[in-house]
Amino acid sequence: MDSNHGWPEPIIRVQSLSESGTETIPTRYIKPPSDRPSIAANSSPLSIPVIDMSAMSREEMASAMSAACREWGFFQVVNHGVRPELVRHAREIWRRFFHLPMEEKQRYANSPTTYEGYGSRLGVEKGACLDWGDYYFLHVLPSSLKNHEKWPALPPDLRDITDEYTRELLNLCGRVMEAMSIGLGLDPTRLQESFGGAEVGACLRVNYYPKCPQPDLTLGLSSHSDPGGMTVLLVDDRVRGLQVRKGSDWVTVEPILDAFILNVGDQIQSLFPCFQVLSNAIYKSVEHRVMVNAANERLSMALFYNPKADLPLSPIQELITPDRPALYKPMSFNEYRLYIRQRGPRGKSQVESLKTSQ
Ligand code: OGA
Ligand code: NI
């Protein structure tokens, strides 16, 4: 393997740039003015729905989640049944990983073929504009892809804690998938089945956004929709950063202690046929992005819950009618992911570009 591990140019760790004490960011990280986080857009008084999972019947929860998936593509859950100590421990141990010496982290430097390991960019286009963040990406499911050797060996209990954390989150995903099915008037297991039943995939991406001397000029993660099925995101409890697209506005998500943020990915959106009026008819994968800041670093953990990788996903038959035909051609998540990874984050253009002719 070449010294760049298959990347088109040498990889620079954003953390190293940040710790160098530079007062100006390299031009590679400067976004065009229209993409910069403007102060005005942050003042939207709206917020994504918050759903208390302990306070509702199955049907109430289904209709609350379903409404949130249609209107926002995003919601937060509280009292979700995952122990707060575990949630805090997982976040803390990953923070400790990013604070280990650089040589230790470099042992896991990733390549664009699998993305597994320690990374600092998405997309392989030479000279592309870069985001102000490093990450660690690993596989959780299927078990044939999960490989503890590719997970950090330090801190010593990181692997065990991450195992327990992801197990609990997979369980939560199962419950949410059920509610989302019921909310469409489908059999509770329908969405899960269309994802390949017990053969679903899951990966974890831990994002580390170092302090940035010029946060107004860049983003920690450019606007994108998540390519997978559904995402369970744990954000930093102290530092804001995530913004969700609502029409032409960006809504900043207020962190709630021990809550999870859930959002619909492109694979769920692609299960829907062509509704005349798209808004509020389908579960939407909505664009989001991450702001960075000068005073604090920020850590987030995204669990991506995905369909079985080689299963061609076609729209849910029960939702298709003569005047509501299929909108996307069947494509497997593997094919889709390959397409995305070559291009890096690009708002919603990726899923839109795969529509059939309507
Ligand atoms: C992601 C993502 C948001 C965040 O990893 O896909 O959108 O707050 N992360 O880090
Ligand atoms: Ni995302």
Side-chain angles (χ1 to χ4, degrees):
M1 186 171 281
D2 65 272
S3 62
N4 296 336
H5 293 266
W7 297 100
E9 49 212 344
I11 288 293
I12 297 178
R13 302 301 173 189
V14 177
Q15 186 174 10
S16 304
L17 278 176
S18 172
E19 289 173 359
S20 74
T22 177
E23 285 177 12
T24 52
I25 62 174
T27 44
R28 290 290 299 275
Y29 297 88
I30 300 180
K31 304 294 171 194
S34 60
D35 291 352
R36 292 179 197 166
S38 70
I39 305 302
N42 302 346
S43 56
S44 170
L46 297 173
S47 54
I48 63 172
V50 179
I51 297 176
D52 182 342
M53 291 182 71
S54 67
M56 297 180 180
S57 69
R58 195 165 103 134
E59 284 66 31
E60 283 167 339
M61 195 165 85
S63 67
M65 288 186 181
S66 179
C69 291
R70 290 168 213 256
E71 282 163 36
W72 286 87
F74 266 84
F75 56 94
Q76 302 209 55
V77 291
V78 296
N79 297 319
H80 40 62
V82 185
R83 285 184 300 116
E85 302 76 45
L86 176 62
V87 172
R88 295 176 195 182
H89 201 163
R91 191 168 44 201
E92 240 7 83
I93 206 147
W94 275 98
R95 201 187 289 283
R96 294 220 302 276
F97 168 77
F98 282 101
H99 287 173
L100 289 173
M102 193 51 83
E103 309 83 76
E104 183 59 32
K105 294 182 293 234
Q106 290 290 17
R107 295 173 50 192
Y108 306 96
N110 75 350
S111 82
T113 33
T114 64
Y115 275 87
E116 273 179 291
Y118 182 46
S120 295
R121 67 182 285 166
L122 290 167
V124 291
E125 274 170 27
K126 199 167 176 166
C129 188
L130 299 178
D131 289 338
W132 193 263
D134 299 324
Y135 62 85
Y136 203 101
F137 181 79
L138 55 83
H139 286 286
V140 175
L141 281 178
S143 29
S144 58
L145 281 184
K146 174 175 160 183
N147 180 356
H148 267 183
E149 294 301 308
K150 295 195 174 164
W151 299 19
L154 294 175
D157 43 357
L158 180 142
R159 290 174 179 167
D160 284 349
I161 296 293
T162 305
D163 267 334
E164 191 182 348
Y165 178 77
T166 52
R167 213 167 33 238
E168 291 288 323
L169 260 60
L170 289 172
N171 181 304
L172 173 65
C173 287
R175 285 184 284 145
V176 173
M177 290 284 274
E178 261 190 40
M180 285 164 69
S181 278
I182 298 169
L184 290 170
L186 301 170
D187 194 78
T189 59
R190 186 66 179 84
L191 266 188
Q192 181 78 31
E193 276 162 17
S194 67
F195 265 33
E199 294 180 281
V200 291
C203 9
L204 182 69
R205 181 178 144 112
V206 183
N207 299 295
Y208 179 73
Y209 307 102
K211 288 180 200 174
C212 178
Q214 295 180 297
D216 298 342
L217 299 183
T218 190
L219 289 167
L221 191 52
S222 290
S223 168
H224 66 284
S225 59
D226 291 344
M230 166 169 98
T231 307
V232 184
L233 182 73
L234 175 67
V235 293
D236 202 298
D237 52 345
R238 292 164 294 209
V239 189
R240 288 192 200 95
L242 176 66
Q243 293 191 312
V244 174
R245 162 89 75 187
K246 184 72 175 162
S248 55
D249 282 345
W250 288 100
V251 173
T252 303
V253 176
E254 286 300 320
I256 301 177
L257 190 65
D258 303 325
F260 292 116
I261 298 165
L262 276 92
N263 66 283
V264 173
D266 295 342
Q267 302 300 305
I268 285 189
Q269 175 172 315
S270 73
L271 295 173
F272 287 83
C274 176
F275 285 84
Q276 282 290 314
V277 182
L278 214 73
S279 79
N280 294 359
I282 69 171
Y283 292 174
K284 285 191 282 264
S285 71
V286 167
E287 270 178 275
H288 51 287
R289 66 181 190 182
V290 176
M291 299 184 295
V292 287
N293 75 85
N296 298 294
E297 64 173 39
R298 179 172 178 275
L299 184 123
S300 72
M301 300 174 65
L303 181 97
F304 301 114
Y305 190 76
N306 299 327
K308 182 177 187 307
D310 56 4
L311 183 75
L313 241 66
S314 36
I316 297 182
Q317 289 301 319
E318 298 92 309
L319 300 178
I320 296 180
T321 59
D323 53 354
R324 232 165 46 193
L327 187 56
Y328 299 96
K329 46 181 177 286
M331 189 185 225
S332 74
F333 182 50
N334 263 347
E335 291 166 318
Y336 185 66
R337 186 154 55 178
L338 195 63
Y339 177 76
I340 297 272
R341 281 179 174 173
Q342 283 158 352
R343 301 171 12 127
R346 293 195 179 194
K348 286 232 12 165
S349 65
Q350 319 252 38
V351 67
E352 298 299 328
S353 67
L354 295 175
K355 278 183 186 162
T356 51
S357 52
Q358 289 99 16

